[in-house]
Structures are given as structure tokens and as C-alpha cells.
Amino acid sequence: MAAVSLMAAAGTSVTIPTRERHLEALRLIGIAVERPVALEFTSLAKYVRKSILEMAMLAGTCHIGGAYSMVEIVGSLLVDVMERYPRKSEVGDRLVVSKGHCVVALYAWLAVLGITAFEELSTFNALGTALPSHPDMRKNPWMHFSSGSLGQGISAAAGMAWGLRRSSQHKVFVIVGDGELQEGQVWEALMLSTQLNLTNLCVIVDRNGLQTADPTSVVVGVEPLTAKLAAFGFDASVIDGHDRKALSMSFNYFYRGDNRRPVAIVADTRKGFGSSILEDSPRFHGSSLSDEDYTHIRSDLYA
Amino acid sequence: MPDGLEPRELFAERLLDRARRDDRLVALDADLHHHTRSSVIAQHLPKAFLNVGIAEQNMVSFAAGLSAVGMLPVVFSFAAFLTGRAWEQLRDSVCHTGLSVAVVGTHYGFTSCDDGPTHQTFEDVALMSVLPLMEVWEPIDVDDIDLLVRTIDVGRAPHYIRLSREKIVTYDSSWRVVEEGLRLFRSPGRLMVVTTGIHARYVASILRRRPDMGDVGLCCITRLKPLPLGGLREVCTGASHIVIISEQQVSSGTGPAVALALQGRVAVSILGMNGGFGEVGPQDAVRRKYGLSEDCVEQWIAEKLHSNWNENSFA
């Protein structure tokens, strides 16, 4: 097993196995966030990114770039908007992470906020875990839908919205990636949502401009995106996806029910936001991080 | 062949009855409701019906979303489109999530010959059977249809139902229920015919007018997956040759599944579509051309009855 030598306070060399190092780092984050109510949003978001980093190292692989781009989006929903975040079996709002490969961001937020057990984060993508790389609602009671194969989440969210509208005032959020919009089913779902006027449905596009290996614009461009969403009948807007205030204002406009059509929010983000080595780099779509990468990212997050 | 009821008509009527009493039930169709007969619900209980437009993939994932919030969705379309185009959505949005969605496919195989091969699927049973958790049904009796409608519920496994537009469903006391998913018409002598769907009716008709086939047994599987293994083995005991007749590709689906279930003790022959596509034309003529009409089946059974199976050679 790989090991790391550290210079301890007494000046002696200590060798710690790599896995233990990351478990310890995660444990320390867990202690730091024990009282999340007292922590400011920016600090919470930073702890979320730190947690994701350790989870990525423990699991060996992670879609860290796309997870980092949606940290503020998920955080704002949970902290500023949703009355509470329910289990899938409970009555309440719904959050579908259609870009399921980045669900690690939701796992980390739920743990940092104390909704789920923080120590469970160390099991990310391990055999038998409730926290697999893509959400599995059969394994995790906090996941409102399973995803992984892109393009299905808006359809499911629309179904939830239509079903909920008959019986409650609850809202449905769905987060999609911009590359994901290349899937045709997405547009089927948008058309039906408009036809049914699902005003309790909010589609959030995490527009980080990158997909698996290349910029979205180079592969199959989705622009002009806001115009397309508006043309498909949505109340569409663009905001800075890392600006908590902007996110909160837009989400709460929808949550209050001020909208007359289904809402689409294009959140401009940066893949890997929060670390200079990760930001806008296609290298970190879904790969392993070297020790060198880890050290660099860690120094950014702990600066 | 005796007159009967169209499964698609009866299913829609029964579903409407249930929907009147249970407002969680919703029928969804991809703009084929007049053909699948989900129009019955659209007409009489519009609040329990939704035409999602020509968008089967969206329909299936949408239905999964409905199920996730406690509704009871039943999706309808032509079997070819539902099980083909929306296969991955059935896999991921429905089976992988474990959400309860009833999936109704009509116009399969030669039950429809007006629209040709793109509409005539012989692969639907195989495509659905290979999905984890998905049950597969092909009802032939009113009681089968009643059971299927009655058991739609939260937590019930996702299930695919083949519904014909041919009049094959009857109240026929000749068919004894052996266990859920299996009906027995006659116990076998040397030869046992295992059927699904319309071929159950064909073979029953043949056996009724062919006293020389008194040694031929007949059963019908209505729950194609999971196979009613115990009952199937029980009713086939004593037969040395099993012939399986189904409106499916012979290489996949019910034929090989039954052969596997009964392996080692019997010879097996499978009659169905031999790896090809369907064709347009008058239904009887098309069935005859592909060897699946009642007279072709009669001839095939007669051949098998008089064939000599040598256990030291491949059939």
C-alpha cells in the first residue's frame, strides 16, 4: 500500500498509509462541521469540496470536476431554499441529480449539513456502499431517483412534478449538465413539461462548458441555450452558478411560486471550481488523482 | 377457432374500472391510444389518462417519476416501440430504480400485419425478459387480465404485458390453472405442446378436432418470466418431446427459457419466427407464409408426433 512520510511536530519522520491519511482528513472535516449552522456558506462549501477530494482519493476515481461545478447550486438548494430535504419515502420536495456522475456533491452536502452520517462518506464507491458513484435510490433512502445514464432525469422529474401537483404544493428540482442536453430525451421532457405547464418544476443546467474530454462547443454545441429553453416554453434565465446570492434569488423566485411557466435556470459554472489545477480542465472529468494532484488541490482548498 | 375477446379491450375496460376507484392509477400513451385501447380511459376518465406524444423514452422515465411519488402508472404503446426504443429507460428508470410501472405492449408479432416489419416485433419478450426484476405476461383468459389489473400496486415488480388485438381471451374452463402463470388444457402422452398467446387457442382448436392427436398434451404459459417452473415440470412429466410454439424469435425468449428449464430429460423443438422480420399482407396469409397459422401449426405438430427422436443425435 502506498504510504506517505510526514514530518511530525517533534521533527521525526512518520509513515502513514495513504488510505489512513485520507480517512483521517475526512474525520477531521467531520469534526469541523459538527455544528454546520454556525458555519458560513462559503466555509461549508469549502468543507464540501475538501470532503469530495478525500472521497475521490479513497475511492480511486471520481467525477470531481463536474461535482465541484455544482457545489454552490446544491448548497443553495439545501441551505437557502428547500424547506427541508426529505427521504424518498417522505412527503416533500424532490431533487433529481440527472447528471448522476456528480452526485458526490450531494452526498457531501447532506453529510456536512448533518442530514446524513458524516462517517459514511468514507464508503464512497466501495463495495456494498449506499454512496455509489451514481445515485441509487434502492440503496440510499435519501436519493429521490437513480441516475447514471444521462438524459432521463428531466423526464422523471416531470413525472414527479405532475404527480405531486395533484396532491401537494411541493416542488421538484432537477440538475442536468450542459453536455447532457445533447441527449434527445431531454427535449422530449422539456416539451411535455411545457405542455403540462409544470410550474412546480425547476430545471437547473450546470453549464460548465465541458463534457467528457472536450468543450461542449467543440463536440455538439448547445447554444444559444437560454433562448432554446425559452423557445421551448420555459421561464429561462442565466445566473452565476457560484454566486450564492444569485442562486438563492432565482431558486426562491421559483420556490415561492412566482413563476407562471416551468422554470429553467442556466447556472454558469466552472468545472473544477475551487482549485486552480482543476478549473476548466478536461483532464479531471472522471479520472484518478495522483498524489501530486491531491497535494496541489489540497493546498488550494486549505489556503 | 372459438370467438373470444380482445385482450387489449378487456384490459382497458378492467383498468378503467379500477381507475374509477383508485385515483393513483394513470394510463400513459405515446399517441397510439386508439390502437392500444388506452383511449377507453381517455374517453371515460380523462383525469386518469395522459397522452405524452410520440416520445416513448420520455413516457417511460416520466412514468417512473410518477411511481416515485406514489402514483400507479401504466404505460401503453406498440410493443416494438416500447420495448425497443425505450429499452434503456425501462432498464434504468424502471428496473434499476425498482419503481413499479406496468408496461403494456400491443400489436406484437403477426397480431398486426398492416404496418409491416418496423411495427411487428418478435423480440419484445426476450428484450423484457433479460431485464432484472421485470416480469413478463401474455394473458389468454379473463381471469389472467383481472389478476394483472388487480395486482398493480406500489411496490409490485415492474411488469411487461403483451396484449393482442386478436380475440384470444375467453372464459374457458378447459384451461385449468396449475399455478400462477400456467394453464393446462390436456396432460401429455409422448408429446407436450407448450404455448403462449394465440397459439394456445390454435392448438386447443386442433386437438379438439383431431382424435388422432389424443396423445398430445397442451399447456399455456401466461407468465413468461419468471417461468412457472414447478408447474411446468409437473405438467411435462411423462412427455419425451416438448414442442414450444410462440410468436417470438426462436433464438430467444420463451422457447430457449423453457428448453433450459426442462433440459436433460426431453427433446425440445421450438416453433416461432426464424430470425427474420415480419411482413405486410393479409394476416392469415402472412401467418401461413411464416409457418405460424393454425394449419401450419397442425402440420408441424403432426410431424413432431411421428418423428423419431434419437437421443444420440441432435434434432
Side-chain angles (χ1 to χ4, degrees):
Chain A
M1 182 185 289
V4 174
S5 291
L6 298 177
M7 297 299 291
T12 58
S13 178
V14 175
T15 300
I16 302 175
T18 306
R19 183 170 174 78
E20 297 309 316
R21 172 181 67 173
H22 299 301
L23 286 172
E24 177 62 11
L26 210 50
R27 191 186 71 83
L28 291 173
I29 298 166
I31 292 170
V33 301
E34 245 172 29
R35 290 187 182 180
V37 185
L39 289 169
E40 195 265 326
F41 184 89
T42 314
S43 300
L44 287 171
K46 200 160 250 189
Y47 279 123
V48 166
R49 288 190 166 90
K50 288 172 182 175
S51 302
I52 293 172
L53 177 63
E54 302 305 331
M55 292 160 77
M57 296 306 291
L58 285 167
T61 181
C62 174
H63 292 83
I64 193 168
Y68 272 25
S69 67
M70 65 185 229
V71 166
E72 281 75 24
I73 292 170
V74 175
S76 177
L77 285 172
L78 295 178
V79 175
D80 296 331
V81 183
M82 294 171 79
E83 188 181 2
R84 66 180 191 91
Y85 185 86
R87 289 180 178 80
K88 68 174 189 222
S89 59
E90 295 169 333
V91 172
D93 302 322
R94 290 291 180 263
L95 172 59
V96 175
V97 181
S98 187
K99 51 173 285 189
H101 54 290
C102 300
V103 74
V104 65
L106 177 59
Y107 295 156
W109 266 111
L110 291 175
V112 162
L113 292 174
I115 295 171
T116 58
F118 193 90
E119 51 272 17
E120 209 176 15
L121 293 185
S122 63
T123 70
F124 174 64
N125 228 24
L127 180 65
T129 183
L131 306 182
S133 56
H134 298 70
D136 187 337
M137 65 188 299
R138 287 197 296 158
K139 292 186 172 161
N140 189 327
W142 297 97
M143 294 298 109
H144 299 159
F145 202 70
S146 307
S147 59
S149 178
L150 296 172
Q152 299 182 30
I154 299 179
S155 300
M160 292 177 192
W162 195 67
L164 283 175
R165 209 160 62 151
R166 295 161 65 136
S167 59
S168 76
Q169 297 299 312
H170 293 112
K171 309 290 186 181
V172 182
F173 295 93
V174 52
I175 304 174
V176 293
D178 50 349
E180 184 176 3
L181 302 180
Q182 291 160 358
E183 287 280 1
Q185 186 183 344
V186 164
W187 303 92
E188 292 178 13
L190 295 175
M191 283 194 285
L192 184 61
S193 298
T194 304
Q195 185 72 24
L196 298 174
N197 199 28
L198 297 177
T199 52
N200 58 339
L201 175 68
C202 178
V203 176
I204 305 158
V205 182
D206 176 0
R207 184 166 68 179
N208 61 33
L210 290 170
Q211 47 194 95
T212 309
D214 293 297
T216 312
S217 59
V218 165
V219 181
V220 175
V222 297
E223 301 302 330
L225 184 50
T226 318
K228 279 178 179 155
L229 292 166
F232 272 65
F234 273 66
D235 178 341
S237 59
V238 186
I239 56 169
D240 178 347
H242 298 298
D243 178 342
R244 179 212 184 172
K245 193 173 167 189
L247 286 163
S248 173
M249 276 181 59
S250 292
F251 291 154
N252 277 304
Y253 158 77
F254 159 77
Y255 202 71
R256 283 192 308 268
D258 290 346
N259 55 302
R260 293 289 171 265
R261 286 170 288 150
V263 166
I265 296 169
V266 177
D268 272 329
T269 61
R270 301 180 71 168
K271 201 162 186 174
F273 183 82
S275 164
S276 56
I277 189 180
L278 288 177
E279 259 182 50
D280 295 327
S281 172
R283 191 161 74 84
F284 298 101
H285 171 74
S287 53
S288 317
L289 299 173
S290 66
D291 276 347
E292 196 183 326
D293 293 331
Y294 171 77
T295 305
H296 192 142
I297 300 166
R298 190 185 155 91
S299 70
D300 284 338
L301 296 180
Y302 285 80
Chain B
M1 197 172 64
D3 266 354
L5 305 166
E6 291 183 20
R8 59 175 178 164
E9 295 273 6
L10 187 61
F11 184 88
E13 284 166 22
R14 292 292 201 259
L15 196 66
L16 174 64
D17 286 342
R18 170 102 192 256
R20 289 194 209 274
R21 295 175 275 116
D22 189 342
D23 62 5
R24 299 172 301 167
L25 229 150
V26 180
L28 301 108
D29 208 302
D31 207 41
L32 288 170
H33 45 296
H34 293 297
H35 303 281
T36 64
R37 292 298 189 260
S38 67
S39 54
V40 166
I41 295 130
Q43 187 186 353
H44 296 287
L45 200 64
K47 67 176 180 136
F49 176 80
L50 180 65
N51 181 359
V52 304
I54 310 169
E56 295 81 8
Q57 295 179 343
N58 183 45
M59 178 171 68
V60 168
S61 300
F62 185 96
L66 277 175
S67 181
V69 294
M71 304 291 286
L72 298 176
V74 183
V75 300
F76 290 79
S77 190
F78 284 4
F81 310 145
L82 199 45
T83 65
R85 185 185 292 265
W87 186 86
E88 203 209 343
Q89 285 71 17
L90 288 166
R91 179 183 187 273
D92 289 342
S93 288
V94 176
C95 293
H96 173 53
T97 58
L99 290 166
S100 188
V101 177
V103 183
V104 176
T106 67
H107 294 70
Y108 58 88
F110 290 132
T111 63
S112 171
C113 292
D114 298 328
D115 294 315
T118 56
H119 291 51
Q120 295 163 313
T121 179
F122 298 89
E123 304 83 36
D124 56 322
V125 171
L127 286 169
M128 293 297 96
S129 295
V130 80
L131 290 173
L133 297 188
M134 180 71 83
E135 294 180 6
V136 179
W137 294 79
E138 191 169 357
I140 63 159
D141 189 273
V142 176
D143 288 344
D144 298 334
I145 300 232
D146 283 342
L147 173 75
L148 287 169
V149 172
R150 193 170 65 241
T151 55
I152 293 171
D153 204 356
V154 172
R156 195 222 190 284
H159 48 294
Y160 172 64
I161 306 167
R162 266 186 152 194
L163 288 184
S164 173
R165 50 183 275 193
E166 292 167 305
K167 291 186 164 73
I168 63 171
V169 165
T170 65
Y171 284 112
D172 187 345
S173 57
S174 311
W175 292 88
R176 175 174 72 84
V177 175
V178 177
E179 70 175 67
E180 184 183 275
L182 179 69
R183 289 175 178 273
L184 179 69
F185 181 82
R186 185 196 292 171
S187 294
R190 193 172 73 84
L191 188 72
M192 178 56 139
V193 182
V194 178
T195 59
T196 68
I198 193 171
H199 292 96
R201 299 292 174 208
Y202 283 167
V203 180
S205 170
I206 292 163
L207 296 186
R208 281 188 170 117
R209 53 184 171 73
R210 288 289 296 260
D212 61 313
M213 289 188 178
D215 201 32
V216 176
L218 172 62
C219 69
C220 176
I221 302 175
T222 54
R223 192 186 69 207
L224 282 60
K225 183 210 169 188
L227 275 180
L229 277 178
L232 193 57
R233 286 171 178 157
E234 177 196 317
V235 302
C236 291
T237 298
S240 57
H241 193 169
I242 309 292
V243 301
I244 304 154
I245 308 174
S246 189
E247 197 113 310
Q248 301 175 39
Q249 296 284 357
V250 298
S251 60
S252 55
T254 303
V258 170
L260 192 65
L262 301 174
Q263 64 166 325
R265 298 183 56 182
V266 292
V268 174
S269 302
I270 304 173
L271 178 66
M273 171 56 90
N274 242 337
F277 290 105
E279 191 171 334
V280 297
Q283 195 175 37
D284 283 348
V286 173
R287 275 240 162 85
R288 192 163 292 113
K289 178 173 176 180
Y290 288 87
L292 289 173
S293 60
E294 185 173 326
D295 51 340
C296 290
V297 167
E298 182 174 352
Q299 189 181 340
W300 192 76
I301 292 174
E303 282 168 18
K304 296 301 171 189
L305 190 58
H306 297 111
S307 69
N308 250 336
W309 173 56
N310 182 342
E311 63 180 79
N312 293 317
S313 71
F314 291 106

